[in-house]
Coordinates of all heavy atoms in Angstrom, one line a residue:
M1 N 154.6 42.2 120.7 CA 154.8 43.2 121.7 C 153.4 43.4 122.4 O 152.4 43.7 121.8 CB 155.3 44.5 121.2 CG 155.5 45.5 122.2 SD 156.6 46.8 121.6 CE 155.6 48.2 121.5
R2 N 153.4 43.4 123.7 CA 152.2 43.5 124.5 C 152.2 44.9 125.2 O 153.2 45.3 125.8 CB 152.2 42.4 125.6 CG 150.9 42.5 126.3 CD 150.9 41.3 127.3 NE 149.7 41.5 128.2 CZ 149.3 40.7 129.1 NH1 150.0 39.6 129.3 NH2 148.3 41.0 129.8
V3 N 151.1 45.6 125.0 CA 150.9 46.9 125.6 C 150.1 46.8 126.9 O 149.0 46.3 126.8 CB 150.3 47.9 124.6 CG1 150.0 49.2 125.3 CG2 151.1 48.0 123.4
E4 N 150.7 47.2 128.0 CA 150.0 47.1 129.3 C 149.3 48.4 129.5 O 149.8 49.5 129.2 CB 151.0 46.8 130.4 CG 151.8 45.6 130.1 CD 151.4 44.5 131.1 OE1 150.7 44.7 132.0 OE2 151.9 43.3 130.8
R5 N 148.2 48.3 130.2 CA 147.4 49.5 130.6 C 148.1 50.1 131.8 O 148.4 49.5 132.7 CB 146.0 49.1 130.9 CG 145.2 50.3 131.1 CD 143.7 49.9 131.3 NE 142.9 51.0 131.6 CZ 141.7 51.0 131.8 NH1 141.0 49.9 131.8 NH2 141.0 52.1 132.1
L6 N 148.3 51.4 131.7 CA 149.0 52.2 132.8 C 147.9 52.3 133.9 O 146.8 52.5 133.6 CB 149.4 53.5 132.3 CG 150.6 53.5 131.3 CD1 150.9 54.9 130.8 CD2 151.8 52.9 131.9
P7 N 148.4 52.3 135.1 CA 147.5 52.5 136.2 C 147.0 54.0 136.2 O 147.7 54.9 135.9 CB 148.3 52.3 137.5 CG 149.7 52.4 137.0 CD 149.8 52.1 135.6
A8 N 145.7 54.1 136.6 CA 145.1 55.4 136.6 C 145.6 56.2 137.8 O 145.8 55.7 138.9 CB 143.6 55.3 136.8
L9 N 146.0 57.5 137.5 CA 146.5 58.3 138.6 C 145.4 58.9 139.4 O 145.6 59.2 140.6 CB 147.3 59.5 137.9 CG 148.5 59.1 137.1 CD1 149.1 60.3 136.5 CD2 149.5 58.4 138.0
V10 N 144.2 59.0 138.9 CA 143.1 59.6 139.6 C 141.9 58.7 139.4 O 141.6 58.2 138.3 CB 142.7 61.0 139.1 CG1 141.6 61.6 139.8 CG2 143.9 61.9 139.1
G11 N 141.2 58.3 140.5 CA 140.1 57.4 140.4 C 138.8 58.1 139.9 O 138.8 59.4 139.8
P12 N 137.8 57.4 139.6 CA 136.6 57.9 139.1 C 135.9 58.9 140.1 O 135.3 59.9 139.7 CB 135.7 56.7 138.8 CG 136.6 55.6 138.8 CD 137.8 55.9 139.6
S13 N 136.0 58.6 141.3 CA 135.4 59.5 142.3 C 136.1 60.9 142.3 O 135.4 61.9 142.5 CB 135.5 58.9 143.7 OG 134.7 57.7 143.8
A14 N 137.4 60.9 142.2 CA 138.1 62.1 142.1 C 137.7 62.9 140.9 O 137.6 64.2 140.9 CB 139.6 61.9 142.2
V15 N 137.5 62.3 139.8 CA 137.1 62.9 138.5 C 135.7 63.5 138.7 O 135.5 64.7 138.4 CB 137.1 62.0 137.3 CG1 136.6 62.6 136.1 CG2 138.6 61.5 137.1
R16 N 134.8 62.7 139.3 CA 133.4 63.2 139.6 C 133.5 64.5 140.5 O 132.8 65.4 140.3 CB 132.6 62.1 140.2 CG 132.2 61.1 139.2 CD 131.4 60.0 139.9 NE 130.2 60.5 140.5 CZ 129.7 60.0 141.6 NH1 130.3 59.0 142.3 NH2 128.6 60.5 142.1
A17 N 134.3 64.4 141.5 CA 134.4 65.5 142.5 C 135.0 66.7 141.8 O 134.5 67.8 142.0 CB 135.2 65.1 143.7
G18 N 136.0 66.5 141.0 CA 136.6 67.7 140.3 C 135.6 68.3 139.3 O 135.6 69.5 139.2
L19 N 134.9 67.5 138.6 CA 133.9 68.0 137.6 C 132.8 68.8 138.4 O 132.3 69.8 137.9 CB 133.3 66.9 136.7 CG 134.2 66.5 135.6 CD1 133.6 65.3 134.9 CD2 134.6 67.6 134.7
A20 N 132.4 68.2 139.5 CA 131.3 68.9 140.3 C 131.8 70.2 140.9 O 131.0 71.1 141.1 CB 130.8 67.9 141.3
A21 N 133.1 70.2 141.3 CA 133.6 71.4 141.9 C 133.9 72.5 140.9 O 133.9 73.7 141.2 CB 134.9 71.1 142.6
L22 N 134.1 72.2 139.6 CA 134.5 73.2 138.6 C 133.5 74.3 138.5 O 133.9 75.5 138.5 CB 134.7 72.5 137.3 CG 135.3 73.3 136.1 CD1 136.7 73.9 136.5 CD2 135.3 72.5 134.9
P23 N 132.2 74.1 138.4 CA 131.2 75.2 138.3 C 131.2 76.1 139.5 O 131.0 77.3 139.5 CB 129.9 74.5 138.0 CG 130.2 73.2 137.6 CD 131.5 72.8 138.2
V24 N 131.4 75.4 140.7 CA 131.3 76.2 141.9 C 132.5 77.0 142.1 O 132.4 78.2 142.5 CB 131.2 75.2 143.1 CG1 131.2 75.9 144.4 CG2 129.9 74.4 143.0
V25 N 133.7 76.5 141.8 CA 135.0 77.2 142.0 C 135.0 78.4 141.0 O 135.5 79.5 141.3 CB 136.2 76.3 141.8 CG1 137.5 77.0 141.7 CG2 136.2 75.3 142.9
S26 N 134.5 78.2 139.8 CA 134.5 79.3 138.8 C 133.3 80.2 138.9 O 133.1 81.0 138.0 CB 134.5 78.7 137.4 OG 133.3 78.0 137.1
V27 N 132.5 80.1 140.0 CA 131.3 80.9 140.2 C 130.3 80.8 139.0 O 129.8 81.8 138.6 CB 131.6 82.3 140.6 CG1 130.4 83.1 141.1 CG2 132.7 82.4 141.6
G28 N 130.2 79.7 138.4 CA 129.3 79.4 137.3 C 129.8 79.7 135.9 O 129.1 79.4 135.0
L29 N 131.0 80.3 135.8 CA 131.5 80.7 134.5 C 131.8 79.5 133.6 O 131.8 79.6 132.4 CB 132.6 81.7 134.6 CG 132.3 83.1 135.0 CD1 133.5 83.9 135.2 CD2 131.4 83.7 134.0
L30 N 132.2 78.4 134.2 CA 132.5 77.2 133.5 C 131.5 76.1 133.6 O 131.8 74.9 133.6 CB 133.9 76.7 134.0 CG 135.1 77.6 133.8 CD1 136.4 77.0 134.4 CD2 135.3 77.9 132.3
C31 N 130.2 76.5 133.8 CA 129.1 75.6 134.0 C 128.9 74.6 132.9 O 128.5 73.5 133.1 CB 127.9 76.3 134.5 SG 127.1 77.3 133.2
P32 N 129.1 75.0 131.6 CA 128.9 74.0 130.5 C 130.0 72.9 130.4 O 129.8 71.9 129.8 CB 128.9 74.8 129.3 CG 128.7 76.2 129.7 CD 129.3 76.3 131.0
V33 N 131.2 73.2 131.0 CA 132.3 72.3 130.8 C 132.1 70.8 131.3 O 132.4 69.9 130.5 CB 133.6 72.9 131.4 CG1 134.8 71.9 131.4 CG2 134.0 74.2 130.7
P34 N 131.6 70.6 132.5 CA 131.3 69.2 132.9 C 130.3 68.5 132.0 O 130.6 67.4 131.6 CB 130.8 69.3 134.3 CG 131.3 70.6 134.8 CD 131.4 71.5 133.6
S35 N 129.3 69.2 131.6 CA 128.3 68.6 130.7 C 128.9 68.3 129.3 O 128.5 67.3 128.6 CB 127.0 69.4 130.6 OG 127.3 70.7 130.2
L36 N 129.8 69.2 128.9 CA 130.4 68.9 127.6 C 131.3 67.7 127.6 O 131.3 66.9 126.7 CB 131.3 70.2 127.2 CG 132.2 70.0 125.9 CD1 131.3 69.7 124.7 CD2 133.1 71.2 125.7
L37 N 132.1 67.5 128.7 CA 132.9 66.3 128.9 C 132.1 65.1 128.9 O 132.4 64.0 128.4 CB 133.8 66.5 130.1 CG 134.9 67.5 130.0 CD1 135.6 67.6 131.3 CD2 135.8 67.2 128.9
I38 N 130.9 65.2 129.7 CA 130.0 64.0 129.8 C 129.4 63.7 128.4 O 129.4 62.5 128.0 CB 129.0 64.3 130.8 CG1 129.6 64.3 132.2 CG2 127.9 63.2 130.8 CD1 128.7 64.8 133.3
A39 N 129.0 64.7 127.7 CA 128.4 64.5 126.3 C 129.5 63.9 125.4 O 129.2 63.1 124.5 CB 127.9 65.8 125.8
L40 N 130.7 64.4 125.4 CA 131.7 63.8 124.6 C 132.1 62.4 124.9 O 132.4 61.6 124.0 CB 133.0 64.7 124.7 CG 133.0 66.1 124.0 CD1 134.2 66.9 124.3 CD2 132.8 66.0 122.5
R41 N 132.0 62.1 126.2 CA 132.3 60.7 126.6 C 131.2 59.7 126.3 O 131.5 58.6 125.8 CB 132.6 60.7 128.1 CG 132.9 59.3 128.6 CD 133.3 59.4 130.1 NE 133.5 58.0 130.6 CZ 134.5 57.6 131.3 NH1 135.4 58.5 131.7 NH2 134.6 56.4 131.7
R42 N 129.9 60.1 126.6 CA 128.8 59.2 126.3 C 128.1 59.4 125.0 O 127.6 58.5 124.4 CB 127.8 59.2 127.5 CG 128.5 58.8 128.8 CD 127.5 58.5 129.9 NE 126.6 59.6 130.1 CZ 125.8 59.7 131.1 NH1 125.8 58.8 132.1 NH2 125.0 60.7 131.3
G43 N 127.9 60.7 124.7 CA 127.3 61.0 123.3 C 125.8 60.8 123.2 O 125.4 60.7 122.1
T44 N 125.1 60.7 124.3 CA 123.6 60.6 124.2 C 123.0 61.9 123.9 O 123.6 63.0 124.2 CB 123.0 59.9 125.4 OG1 123.2 60.8 126.5 CG2 123.7 58.6 125.7
R45 N 121.8 61.9 123.4 CA 121.0 63.1 123.2 C 120.8 63.9 124.4 O 120.8 65.1 124.5 CB 119.7 62.8 122.4 CG 119.9 62.5 121.0 CD 118.6 62.3 120.3 NE 118.8 61.9 119.0 CZ 117.8 61.6 118.1 NH1 116.6 61.6 118.5 NH2 118.1 61.2 116.9
A46 N 120.5 63.2 125.5 CA 120.2 63.8 126.8 C 121.5 64.6 127.3 O 121.3 65.7 127.9 CB 119.8 62.8 127.8
D47 N 122.6 64.0 127.1 CA 123.9 64.6 127.5 C 124.1 65.9 126.7 O 124.5 66.9 127.2 CB 125.1 63.7 127.4 CG 124.9 62.5 128.3 OD1 124.4 62.7 129.4 OD2 125.4 61.4 128.0
W48 N 123.9 65.8 125.4 CA 124.0 67.0 124.6 C 123.0 68.1 124.9 O 123.3 69.3 124.9 CB 124.0 66.7 123.1 CG 125.3 66.0 122.6 CD1 125.4 64.7 122.3 CD2 126.5 66.6 122.5 NE1 126.7 64.4 122.0 CE2 127.4 65.6 122.1 CE3 127.0 67.9 122.7 CZ2 128.8 65.9 121.9 CZ3 128.4 68.2 122.5 CH2 129.2 67.1 122.1
A49 N 121.8 67.6 125.3 CA 120.7 68.6 125.7 C 121.1 69.3 127.0 O 120.9 70.5 127.2 CB 119.4 67.9 125.8
A50 N 121.7 68.5 127.9 CA 122.2 69.2 129.2 C 123.3 70.2 128.9 O 123.3 71.3 129.5 CB 122.7 68.1 130.1
F51 N 124.2 69.8 127.9 CA 125.2 70.8 127.6 C 124.6 72.1 127.0 O 125.0 73.2 127.3 CB 126.2 70.2 126.6 CG 127.2 71.1 126.0 CD1 128.1 71.8 126.7 CD2 127.1 71.4 124.6 CE1 129.0 72.7 126.1 CE2 128.0 72.3 124.0 CZ 128.9 73.0 124.8
G52 N 123.6 71.9 126.1 CA 122.9 73.0 125.5 C 122.2 73.9 126.6 O 122.2 75.1 126.5
A53 N 121.6 73.2 127.5 CA 120.9 73.9 128.6 C 121.8 74.7 129.5 O 121.6 75.9 129.8 CB 120.1 72.9 129.5
F54 N 122.9 74.2 129.9 CA 123.9 74.9 130.7 C 124.6 76.0 129.9 O 124.9 77.0 130.4 CB 124.9 74.0 131.3 CG 124.3 73.2 132.5 CD1 124.2 71.8 132.4 CD2 123.8 73.8 133.6 CE1 123.7 71.1 133.4 CE2 123.2 73.1 134.6 CZ 123.2 71.7 134.5
S55 N 124.8 75.8 128.6 CA 125.3 76.9 127.8 C 124.3 78.0 127.7 O 124.7 79.2 127.7 CB 125.6 76.3 126.4 OG 126.7 75.4 126.4
A56 N 123.0 77.7 127.5 CA 122.0 78.7 127.5 C 121.9 79.5 128.8 O 121.7 80.7 128.8 CB 120.7 78.1 127.2
V57 N 122.1 78.8 129.9 CA 122.1 79.5 131.2 C 123.3 80.4 131.3 O 123.2 81.5 131.8 CB 122.1 78.4 132.4 CG1 122.5 79.1 133.7 CG2 120.8 77.7 132.5
L58 N 124.4 80.0 130.8 CA 125.6 80.9 130.9 C 125.4 82.1 130.0 O 125.7 83.2 130.4 CB 126.9 80.1 130.4 CG 128.2 80.9 130.4 CD1 128.5 81.4 131.8 CD2 129.3 80.1 129.8
V59 N 124.9 81.9 128.8 CA 124.6 83.0 127.9 C 123.6 84.0 128.5 O 123.7 85.2 128.5 CB 124.1 82.6 126.5 CG1 123.6 83.7 125.7 CG2 125.2 81.8 125.8
A60 N 122.5 83.4 129.2 CA 121.5 84.3 129.8 C 122.1 85.0 131.0 O 121.8 86.2 131.2 CB 120.4 83.4 130.3
W61 N 123.0 84.4 131.7 CA 123.7 85.0 132.8 C 124.6 86.2 132.4 O 124.6 87.3 132.9 CB 124.5 84.0 133.6 CG 125.2 84.6 134.9 CD1 124.6 85.3 135.8 CD2 126.5 84.4 135.2 NE1 125.5 85.6 136.8 CE2 126.7 85.0 136.4 CE3 127.6 83.7 134.7 CZ2 127.9 85.1 137.1 CZ3 128.8 83.7 135.3 CH2 129.0 84.4 136.5
I62 N 125.3 86.0 131.3 CA 126.2 87.0 130.8 C 125.4 88.2 130.2 O 125.7 89.3 130.4 CB 127.2 86.4 129.7 CG1 128.2 85.5 130.4 CG2 127.9 87.5 128.9 CD1 129.0 84.7 129.5
M63 N 124.3 87.8 129.5 CA 123.4 88.9 129.0 C 122.8 89.7 130.1 O 122.7 90.9 130.1 CB 122.4 88.3 128.1 CG 122.9 87.7 126.8 SD 123.8 88.8 125.8 CE 122.5 89.9 125.2
Q64 N 122.3 89.0 131.1 CA 121.7 89.7 132.3 C 122.7 90.6 133.0 O 122.4 91.7 133.4 CB 121.1 88.6 133.3 CG 120.6 89.2 134.5 CD 119.2 89.9 134.3 OE1 118.6 89.7 133.3 NE2 118.8 90.6 135.3
L65 N 123.9 90.1 133.1 CA 125.0 90.9 133.7 C 125.3 92.1 132.9 O 125.6 93.2 133.5 CB 126.2 90.0 133.9 CG 127.4 90.6 134.6 CD1 127.0 90.9 136.1 CD2 128.6 89.7 134.6
S66 N 125.3 92.0 131.6 CA 125.7 93.1 130.8 C 124.6 94.2 130.8 O 124.9 95.4 130.6 CB 126.0 92.7 129.3 OG 124.8 92.2 128.7
F67 N 123.3 93.8 131.0 CA 122.2 94.8 131.0 C 121.9 95.3 132.4 O 121.1 96.2 132.5 CB 121.0 94.2 130.3 CG 121.2 94.0 128.9 CD1 120.9 92.8 128.3 CD2 121.6 95.1 128.1 CE1 121.0 92.6 126.9 CE2 121.7 94.9 126.7 CZ 121.5 93.6 126.1
T68 N 122.4 94.7 133.4 CA 122.1 95.1 134.8 C 123.0 96.2 135.3 O 124.2 96.1 135.2 CB 122.3 93.9 135.8 OG1 121.4 92.8 135.3 CG2 121.9 94.3 137.2
P69 N 122.5 97.3 135.8 CA 123.3 98.4 136.3 C 124.1 97.9 137.5 O 123.8 97.0 138.2 CB 122.4 99.5 136.7 CG 121.0 99.0 136.4 CD 121.1 97.6 135.9
E70 N 125.2 98.6 137.8 CA 126.1 98.2 138.9 C 125.3 98.4 140.3 O 125.6 97.6 141.2 CB 127.3 99.1 139.0 CG 128.4 98.7 138.0 CD 129.6 99.4 138.1 OE1 130.0 99.8 139.3 OE2 130.2 99.7 137.1
T71 N 124.5 99.4 140.4 CA 123.8 99.6 141.7 C 122.4 99.0 141.6 O 121.4 99.6 141.9 CB 123.7 101.1 141.9 OG1 123.0 101.7 140.8 CG2 125.1 101.7 142.1
T72 N 122.4 97.7 141.4 CA 121.1 97.0 141.3 C 120.7 96.4 142.6 O 121.5 96.2 143.5 CB 121.1 95.9 140.2 OG1 119.8 95.4 140.0 CG2 122.0 94.8 140.6
H73 N 119.4 96.3 142.8 CA 118.8 95.7 144.0 C 117.4 95.2 143.7 O 116.9 95.5 142.6 CB 118.8 96.7 145.2 CG 118.0 97.9 144.9 ND1 118.5 99.0 144.1 CD2 116.7 98.3 145.2 CE1 117.6 99.9 144.1 NE2 116.5 99.5 144.7
G74 N 116.8 94.5 144.6 CA 115.5 94.0 144.4 C 115.4 92.9 143.4 O 116.2 91.9 143.4
L75 N 114.4 92.9 142.5 CA 114.1 91.9 141.6 C 115.2 91.6 140.6 O 115.5 90.5 140.3 CB 112.8 92.1 140.9 CG 112.2 91.0 140.1 CD1 112.0 89.8 141.0 CD2 110.9 91.4 139.5
E76 N 115.8 92.7 140.1 CA 117.0 92.5 139.2 C 118.1 91.8 139.8 O 118.8 90.9 139.2 CB 117.4 93.8 138.6 CG 116.5 94.5 137.7 CD 116.9 95.8 137.2 OE1 117.8 96.4 137.9 OE2 116.4 96.3 136.2
F77 N 118.4 92.1 141.1 CA 119.5 91.4 141.8 C 119.1 89.9 142.0 O 119.9 89.0 141.9 CB 119.7 92.1 143.2 CG 120.8 91.4 144.0 CD1 122.1 91.6 143.6 CD2 120.5 90.7 145.1 CE1 123.1 91.0 144.3 CE2 121.5 90.1 145.8 CZ 122.8 90.2 145.5
A78 N 117.8 89.7 142.3 CA 117.4 88.3 142.5 C 117.5 87.5 141.2 O 117.9 86.3 141.3 CB 115.9 88.3 143.0
D79 N 117.3 88.1 140.0 CA 117.5 87.4 138.8 C 119.0 87.0 138.6 O 119.3 85.9 138.2 CB 117.1 88.3 137.6 CG 115.6 88.4 137.5 OD1 114.8 87.6 138.1 OD2 115.1 89.4 136.7
D80 N 119.9 87.9 138.9 CA 121.3 87.7 138.8 C 121.7 86.5 139.7 O 122.4 85.6 139.3 CB 122.1 88.9 139.1 CG 122.0 90.0 138.1 OD1 121.6 89.7 137.0 OD2 122.3 91.1 138.4
V81 N 121.2 86.6 141.0 CA 121.6 85.5 141.9 C 121.0 84.2 141.5 O 121.7 83.1 141.6 CB 121.1 85.9 143.3 CG1 121.2 84.8 144.3 CG2 121.8 87.1 143.8
L82 N 119.8 84.2 141.0 CA 119.2 82.9 140.5 C 120.0 82.3 139.4 O 120.2 81.1 139.4 CB 117.7 83.2 140.1 CG 117.0 82.0 139.6 CD1 116.8 81.0 140.7 CD2 115.6 82.4 139.0
L83 N 120.4 83.1 138.4 CA 121.2 82.6 137.3 C 122.5 82.0 137.8 O 123.0 81.0 137.3 CB 121.3 83.6 136.2 CG 120.1 83.9 135.4 CD1 120.3 85.1 134.5 CD2 119.7 82.7 134.6
V84 N 123.1 82.7 138.7 CA 124.4 82.3 139.2 C 124.2 80.9 140.0 O 125.0 80.0 139.8 CB 125.1 83.3 140.2 CG1 126.3 82.7 140.9 CG2 125.5 84.5 139.3
L85 N 123.2 80.8 140.8 CA 122.9 79.6 141.5 C 122.6 78.4 140.6 O 123.1 77.3 140.8 CB 121.8 79.8 142.5 CG 122.2 80.7 143.8 CD1 121.0 80.9 144.6 CD2 123.3 80.0 144.5
V86 N 121.8 78.7 139.6 CA 121.5 77.6 138.6 C 122.7 77.2 137.9 O 123.0 76.0 137.7 CB 120.4 78.1 137.6 CG1 120.3 77.1 136.4 CG2 119.1 78.2 138.3
S87 N 123.6 78.1 137.5 CA 124.8 77.7 136.8 C 125.8 77.0 137.7 O 126.5 76.1 137.2 CB 125.4 78.9 136.1 OG 125.9 79.9 137.1
M88 N 125.8 77.3 139.0 CA 126.7 76.7 139.9 C 126.2 75.3 140.4 O 126.7 74.3 140.2 CB 127.0 77.6 141.1 CG 128.0 78.7 140.8 SD 128.4 79.8 142.1 CE 127.7 79.1 143.6
A89 N 125.0 75.4 141.1 CA 124.5 74.2 141.7 C 124.0 73.2 140.7 O 124.2 72.0 140.9 CB 123.4 74.6 142.7
G90 N 123.3 73.7 139.7 CA 122.7 72.8 138.7 C 123.8 72.0 137.9 O 123.7 70.8 137.8
A91 N 124.9 72.7 137.5 CA 125.9 72.1 136.8 C 126.7 71.1 137.7 O 127.2 70.1 137.3 CB 126.9 73.1 136.2
A92 N 126.9 71.5 139.0 CA 127.6 70.7 139.9 C 126.8 69.4 140.2 O 127.4 68.3 140.2 CB 127.9 71.4 141.2
L93 N 125.6 69.5 140.4 CA 124.7 68.4 140.6 C 124.7 67.4 139.4 O 124.7 66.2 139.5 CB 123.3 68.8 141.0 CG 122.3 67.7 141.4 CD1 122.8 67.0 142.6 CD2 120.9 68.3 141.5
H94 N 124.6 68.0 138.2 CA 124.6 67.2 137.0 C 125.9 66.5 136.9 O 125.9 65.3 136.5 CB 124.3 68.1 135.8 CG 124.4 67.4 134.5 ND1 125.5 67.5 133.7 CD2 123.6 66.5 133.9 CE1 125.3 66.8 132.6 NE2 124.2 66.1 132.7
A95 N 127.0 67.2 137.1 CA 128.3 66.5 136.9 C 128.5 65.4 137.9 O 129.0 64.3 137.6 CB 129.4 67.5 137.1
W96 N 128.0 65.6 139.2 CA 128.1 64.6 140.2 C 127.3 63.3 139.9 O 127.7 62.2 140.1 CB 127.8 65.1 141.6 CG 128.0 64.2 142.7 CD1 127.0 63.5 143.3 CD2 129.2 63.7 143.2 NE1 127.6 62.6 144.3 CE2 128.9 62.8 144.2 CE3 130.5 64.1 143.0 CZ2 129.9 62.2 145.0 CZ3 131.5 63.5 143.7 CH2 131.2 62.5 144.7
T97 N 126.1 63.5 139.4 CA 125.2 62.4 139.2 C 125.3 61.7 137.8 O 125.1 60.6 137.7 CB 123.7 62.8 139.3 OG1 123.4 63.9 138.4 CG2 123.4 63.3 140.8
A98 N 125.8 62.5 136.8 CA 125.8 61.9 135.5 C 127.2 61.3 135.1 O 127.2 60.4 134.2 CB 125.5 63.0 134.4
W99 N 128.2 61.6 135.8 CA 129.5 61.0 135.5 C 129.5 59.5 135.9 O 129.0 59.2 136.9 CB 130.7 61.7 136.2 CG 132.0 61.3 135.7 CD1 132.8 60.4 136.4 CD2 132.7 61.6 134.6 NE1 134.0 60.2 135.7 CE2 133.9 60.9 134.5 CE3 132.4 62.5 133.5 CZ2 134.8 61.1 133.5 CZ3 133.3 62.6 132.5 CH2 134.5 61.9 132.5
P100 N 129.9 58.7 135.0 CA 129.8 57.2 135.3 C 130.6 56.8 136.5 O 131.8 57.3 136.7 CB 130.4 56.6 134.0 CG 130.5 57.6 133.0 CD 130.5 58.9 133.7
R101 N 130.0 56.0 137.3 CA 130.7 55.5 138.5 C 131.5 54.3 138.2 O 131.2 53.6 137.2 CB 129.6 55.2 139.6 CG 129.0 56.4 140.1 CD 128.0 56.0 141.2 NE 127.4 57.2 141.9 CZ 126.3 57.7 141.5 NH1 125.6 57.2 140.6 NH2 125.8 58.8 142.2
R102 N 132.4 54.0 139.0 CA 133.2 52.7 138.7 C 132.3 51.5 139.0 O 131.6 51.4 139.9 CB 134.4 52.7 139.7 CG 135.1 51.3 139.7 CD 136.2 51.3 140.6 NE 137.4 51.6 139.8 CZ 138.6 51.9 140.2 NH1 138.8 51.9 141.5 NH2 139.6 52.1 139.4
R103 N 132.4 50.6 138.1 CA 131.6 49.3 138.2 C 132.4 48.4 139.0 O 133.6 48.2 138.8 CB 131.4 48.8 136.8 CG 130.5 49.6 136.0 CD 130.1 48.9 134.7 NE 129.4 49.8 133.8 CZ 129.7 50.1 132.6 NH1 130.7 49.4 132.0 NH2 129.1 50.9 131.9
F104 N 131.8 47.8 139.9 CA 132.4 46.8 140.8 C 132.7 45.5 140.0 O 131.9 45.1 139.2 CB 131.6 46.4 142.0 CG 131.4 47.6 142.9 CD1 130.2 48.3 143.0 CD2 132.4 48.1 143.7 CE1 130.0 49.4 143.8 CE2 132.3 49.1 144.5 CZ 131.1 49.8 144.6
G105 N 133.9 45.0 140.2 CA 134.3 43.8 139.5 C 135.0 44.0 138.2 O 135.3 43.1 137.5
H106 N 135.2 45.2 137.8 CA 135.8 45.5 136.5 C 137.1 46.2 136.7 O 137.4 47.0 137.5 CB 134.9 46.4 135.6 CG 133.7 45.7 135.2 ND1 133.3 45.6 133.9 CD2 132.8 44.9 135.8 CE1 132.2 44.9 133.7 NE2 131.9 44.5 134.9

């Protein structure tokens, strides 16, 4: 009995775009997810380090949010915005560049 490979429903570019959009759509709350998927797929130390870094950014953002008063402004507000931007843009950029691209001829 021969098992045939099923055609892919979604191409590699769509997966990369979806992983890159996930941190942005979730406003940074799911920033470690793309790097976790990449680390599980490839398993290199650098991928696991990226997952750890984005997890640390998420923990720092949650801790900063829990200690920041509701009526914040100035430098405290800038810290919050910086952590949100790092968790969104950094994770999106990492997911877009680190996810394997389709190899031509395969």
